[in-house]
Amino acid sequence: MVALSSSNTISDSQGPQHEPAKDVPMSTGSTETTTQKSSSSAISATKDDDILQDINEDQLDEFKQMLLQLGPYPDKVLINTLSMIAEDYSTHFPKSSSEIYNAIKDLLLSQSIKADCKLPLVYVIDSILKNAKGLFIKIMEDDIANWIQVVHTKLGKDENAKSKLRKVWKIWNEIHLFNEASWNNMGQCFKDEDLKIKSQKVALDVKLKAAGIERNANDGTIIVSKTLRKHMQSVLNDVQSGQVDVLEQVSLERLADINPDLLVEIKKAAEDLLEQNQQQSGIGVIDSSMSRGGRSSGSKARASAKNDTFMELCS
């Protein structure tokens, strides 16, 4: 193996390149340090010859330390370095290839590694598969299913990170890295999530329809009269006013997803407003102060009772 010396330091124009998602934050202060550390790396051939041998314990430990240096940031230089090291063992060294892969997998499965540090490790796997290839394809094809579900669960409610994990999995199929059966098996967690979301949506639509609220099948828009929608939005604005930051306030459509019970209460409150307005119009009452008073004390009563639940879901 060629020593990782300063003469063959990885640059953006050399070696296999891993391109993390553009919206993933990149490390800005560690590139130089990382490159310097890899330049003096002990992961190299002996001074007496250039014959590559199986990775030894010290070299493997150094590889593991480089993995830990990633932390929550997908440092491009460091990922390239790790991928190039793996590539040296990808053809004739099944034992070393397995040890390198297991070093990454152990961190992916480790409960001590924080959730935000999992995705950069997945990017290392992705880079090795795309660039080193060789023995790693077969080794990982039969094993990825054993950790991807764990990582998906660990990411919890971080929908952005889960979306990026799914994107990596989809790309593997697009470039035909694995056979269809293996690829489907390793992505079972995404299929289960899709089925769960679909089931929840069906149950939600049934509940909303029973309350007189239907949604457009294409975009989820709530189907109500313009007048009723205007009053529903007014009540929702009052519920959120002073309680939720403007940038975090939700629409009626979003509320239907996160708290359908509150949406039903808001609809009832809006219908109360409409009824009061019609009654006042019928007897010629146009006192705006009375209208505002009735609105604050009567029509919003049920919606306000759900305010605590709404705040909890929107926080």
Side-chain angles (χ1 to χ4, degrees):
M1 176 177 179
V2 180
L4 298 179
S5 63
S6 57
S7 63
N8 55 30
T9 300
I10 302 172
S11 68
D12 287 346
S13 60
Q14 293 177 306
Q17 299 290 309
H18 175 87
E19 294 292 346
K22 293 183 179 181
D23 54 344
V24 177
M26 301 296 291
S27 173
T28 56
S30 61
T31 301
E32 182 176 353
T33 302
T34 300
T35 306
Q36 290 172 347
K37 287 183 179 180
S38 61
S39 297
S40 60
S41 172
I43 310 177
S44 61
T46 65
K47 294 181 179 179
D48 298 328
D49 57 60
D50 290 329
I51 300 175
L52 185 66
Q53 300 176 1
D54 268 313
I55 192 168
N56 62 41
E57 186 175 344
D58 290 339
Q59 292 169 337
L60 188 60
D61 285 343
E62 184 171 354
F63 186 86
K64 292 176 181 178
Q65 288 302 312
M66 294 170 71
L67 290 171
L68 291 173
Q69 287 176 27
L70 278 172
Y73 302 105
D75 186 303
K76 183 178 180 179
V77 173
L78 187 49
I79 289 174
N80 287 341
T81 301
L82 290 162
S83 182
M84 290 185 73
I85 292 171
E87 186 176 16
D88 286 335
Y89 297 94
S90 65
T91 306
H92 302 295
F93 298 90
K95 178 176 178 291
S96 294
S97 295
S98 293
E99 289 177 337
I100 287 171
Y101 168 63
N102 285 330
I104 307 170
K105 184 180 77 170
D106 288 347
L107 295 179
L108 287 168
L109 291 173
S110 174
Q111 294 299 314
S112 64
I113 301 298
K114 295 181 179 179
D116 62 353
C117 296
K118 300 289 187 180
L119 199 59
L121 293 169
V122 173
Y123 286 147
V124 176
I125 292 283
D126 182 59
S127 180
I128 291 174
L129 284 170
K130 292 175 179 175
N131 301 307
K133 302 179 181 179
L135 295 166
F136 287 103
I137 301 292
K138 184 58 179 175
I139 291 171
M140 297 188 192
E141 181 172 29
D142 298 330
D143 195 69
I144 286 178
N146 292 326
W147 57 258
I148 198 168
Q149 168 72 62
V150 176
V151 172
H152 184 267
T153 301
K154 184 74 173 181
L155 294 176
K157 296 183 179 180
D158 189 343
E159 297 301 330
N160 186 41
K162 288 165 72 174
S163 175
K164 290 174 182 176
L165 179 64
R166 183 189 288 252
K167 181 178 180 181
V168 170
W169 170 68
K170 283 186 174 181
I171 289 175
W172 291 342
N173 190 50
E174 291 171 4
I175 61 179
H176 308 292
L177 273 176
F178 309 112
N179 67 60
E180 192 76 13
S182 296
W183 178 78
N184 279 317
N185 184 47
M186 65 182 67
Q188 189 61 48
C189 57
F190 303 115
K191 296 179 180 180
D192 290 343
E193 183 177 53
D194 290 342
L195 286 174
K196 182 180 178 181
I197 292 173
K198 184 177 181 179
S199 177
Q200 290 175 337
K201 184 179 183 301
V202 170
L204 174 61
D205 287 342
V206 170
K207 177 183 286 189
L208 292 176
K209 189 172 183 178
I213 301 174
E214 295 192 40
R215 298 203 292 181
N216 186 295
N218 295 321
D219 59 14
T221 302
I222 292 174
I223 303 174
V224 293
S225 69
K226 290 183 179 180
T227 303
L228 180 57
R229 182 183 180 87
K230 178 180 178 181
H231 283 76
M232 288 174 67
Q233 186 64 59
S234 177
V235 175
L236 177 58
N237 291 343
D238 285 340
V239 172
Q240 297 184 98
S241 178
Q243 302 293 327
V244 182
D245 186 272
V246 174
L247 296 178
E248 297 179 352
Q249 291 185 6
V250 300
S251 65
L252 291 168
E253 280 70 24
R254 176 58 180 155
L255 185 60
D257 290 325
I258 63 175
N259 193 348
D261 291 332
L262 179 55
L263 181 65
V264 171
E265 293 298 325
I266 284 177
K267 177 176 178 288
K268 292 177 181 177
E271 287 171 338
D272 285 348
L273 275 174
L274 279 172
E275 184 179 352
Q276 288 180 11
N277 289 345
Q278 290 171 357
Q279 290 176 351
Q280 291 174 352
S281 297
I283 60 175
V285 179
I286 56 172
D287 187 340
S288 60
S289 63
M290 288 179 61
S291 176
R292 287 193 299 270
R295 175 179 170 181
S296 61
S297 62
S299 62
K300 294 192 301 175
R302 287 192 294 264
S304 296
K306 296 283 186 176
N307 194 28
D308 291 340
T309 303
F310 174 82
M311 290 304 302
E312 180 180 347
L313 289 170
C314 294
S315 61

